[in-house]
Amino acid sequence: MTIVYNDPTWWPTINANRLSSYFAVASFVIVMYDLALTFGQEVELVWRQHWSPMTVLYLGVRYLGILHAALDILSIVPTILLTDTVSWIMSAVLRTWAIILVLAMLWVIMITRLHAMYQQSRNILVFLIVIFLAVNIFNTVATTIIMMHISGDSEELILSGTYQCSIDYTKDILLLISTGWILAAAWEVLTLCIAIWIAVKHFRELRQHSAGGIIEDCFTVLMKTHILYFASSVTVSCLQLITNFSPTLSTDQSSLETHTFYGLLQILEVVQMFVLGPRLILSVREYYAKLVADTDAATGMTSIVFQERVHISTGSGV
């Protein structure tokens, strides 16, 4: 349903929504700028290489991120007119399910990396897959319920010539959203602890056995990207939980301060998923390409393969 208001009391809401649109544009610019920076690497390390499941995951995360950022602009910029149906499909369906798919693909990348760091341990693989399926089944069911709620309770507002989509969430829906973010944050913390544990164990054994610098360098590459990605992910999850439980943010939706907080959170989410996410694969493939090019360094390595997985043999049973 479309509702038209020309009341000046809506001007603070209009200004706040306009501020949100600036952050949406900034997020899109960040994603496109990162694509421009890494496109040469992408062509060399992804498009020209043998295709594998990791290739599909990389392209999915990269280009679903671009799609999500573009849809954010179309659905948030107040000067763009959309019908109720189009707005709902773009905002509720495409953007939300794009996030669900990207998160699932990022977690599969994490499982693959951890499986490789644990020398392809079957136990760690089964453990991670079980938790992954449990969290994603909940997210899928919760998202479906939220979509059904949004489809019946959304309104299109025309406020002094600007276009907005209004959605009112019930307490049950907010609880589902909060639970989803709690589970996501718990997953990120769990995988970070697992990665740190094997890294500490690995470096201790390297000191004892002097296994060589190349293997240590590869583990260093893995851990650097792990820590940077996980730090950003945990930060985003914590900030999201603050937005869900903070009484100030939930009741004062029209203030510029609230929309500034949401806008900064949006940018952090974009950087975490659509900038740092693809680099999880690019960084390892770049390191592997350098080893292949340097035949002298490559002779000290039993094998490093990350087209489907990374397998590092240290001879110490890590």
Side-chain angles (χ1 to χ4, degrees):
M1 181 176 64
T2 301
I3 302 175
V4 180
Y5 292 107
N6 291 310
D7 192 338
T9 58
W10 284 97
W11 289 352
T13 300
I14 295 173
N15 292 331
N17 290 334
R18 183 176 288 111
L19 178 63
S20 296
S21 69
Y22 298 154
F23 284 105
V25 173
S27 298
F28 180 76
V29 170
I30 290 173
V31 173
M32 296 307 297
Y33 179 70
D34 182 69
L35 176 64
L37 287 179
T38 60
F39 188 72
Q41 289 179 304
E42 179 180 314
V43 171
E44 186 66 29
L45 302 175
V46 178
W47 291 101
R48 293 182 179 178
Q49 303 300 318
H50 176 71
W51 278 53
S52 68
M54 279 296 158
T55 304
V56 176
L57 291 173
Y58 172 86
L59 296 176
V61 173
R62 168 65 77 189
Y63 291 98
L64 278 176
I66 295 175
L67 174 64
H68 179 272
L71 291 176
D72 263 347
I73 294 178
L74 294 178
S75 60
I76 294 177
V77 173
T79 56
I80 298 178
L81 172 61
L82 297 172
T83 64
D84 279 346
T85 302
V86 174
S87 179
W88 178 77
I89 292 175
M90 290 178 55
S91 178
V93 178
L94 295 180
R95 291 168 61 220
T96 302
W97 285 110
I99 290 291
I100 296 297
L101 288 175
V102 168
L103 283 176
M105 288 187 285
L106 287 173
W107 292 355
V108 170
I109 295 172
M110 287 295 102
I111 291 174
T112 305
R113 291 165 66 97
L114 292 172
H115 184 221
M117 294 175 70
Y118 277 81
Q119 292 294 286
Q120 301 180 359
S121 168
R122 182 181 179 88
N123 291 336
I124 196 68
L125 179 62
V126 172
F127 174 71
L128 291 173
I129 288 177
V130 169
I131 298 178
F132 167 81
L133 291 176
V135 174
N136 277 275
I137 288 173
F138 174 85
N139 286 339
T140 301
V141 174
T143 301
T144 302
I145 295 173
I146 294 171
M147 292 299 98
M148 295 172 60
H149 169 82
I150 292 177
S151 64
D153 296 333
S154 60
E155 294 179 338
E156 183 182 12
L157 304 179
I158 302 179
L159 307 177
S160 300
T162 64
Y163 305 94
Q164 313 291 337
C165 184
S166 175
I167 301 174
D168 293 326
Y169 294 111
T170 63
K171 290 184 178 180
D172 293 338
I173 297 300
L174 291 176
L175 179 61
L176 283 177
I177 296 173
S178 300
T179 304
W181 278 105
I182 290 173
L183 292 176
W187 165 268
E188 301 292 355
V189 172
L190 172 65
T191 50
L192 176 59
C193 292
I194 293 175
I196 292 176
W197 169 261
I198 191 61
V200 171
K201 182 180 179 181
H202 172 77
F203 288 128
R204 284 180 177 177
E205 294 185 352
L206 277 181
R207 290 181 179 180
Q208 295 175 359
H209 297 88
S210 300
I214 296 175
I215 298 173
E216 182 177 359
D217 289 342
C218 185
F219 245 84
T220 302
V221 171
L222 288 173
M223 286 309 302
K224 282 182 178 179
T225 52
H226 263 76
I227 292 174
L228 185 59
Y229 172 82
F230 282 130
S232 64
S233 180
V234 171
T235 300
V236 167
S237 297
C238 292
L239 291 177
Q240 184 63 49
L241 292 176
I242 292 174
T243 64
N244 292 334
F245 290 106
S246 172
T248 303
L249 293 175
S250 60
T251 57
D252 191 12
Q253 294 288 328
S254 299
S255 70
L256 294 178
E257 291 78 9
T258 298
H259 280 257
T260 299
F261 181 88
Y262 282 126
L264 294 175
L265 175 59
Q266 179 183 3
I267 291 177
L268 289 175
E269 287 177 335
V270 166
V271 170
Q272 179 251 320
M273 288 187 291
F274 308 136
V275 174
L276 297 179
R279 290 173 184 265
L280 292 173
I281 296 178
L282 279 183
S283 61
V284 178
R285 287 199 172 187
E286 181 183 15
Y287 178 76
Y288 172 62
K290 289 180 180 179
L291 283 183
V292 172
D294 188 351
T295 55
D296 292 335
T299 56
M301 176 74 62
T302 301
S303 68
I304 299 178
V305 178
F306 195 62
Q307 293 176 345
E308 286 82 12
R309 62 187 65 87
V310 180
H311 181 201
I312 303 171
S313 178
T314 66
S316 57
V318 177

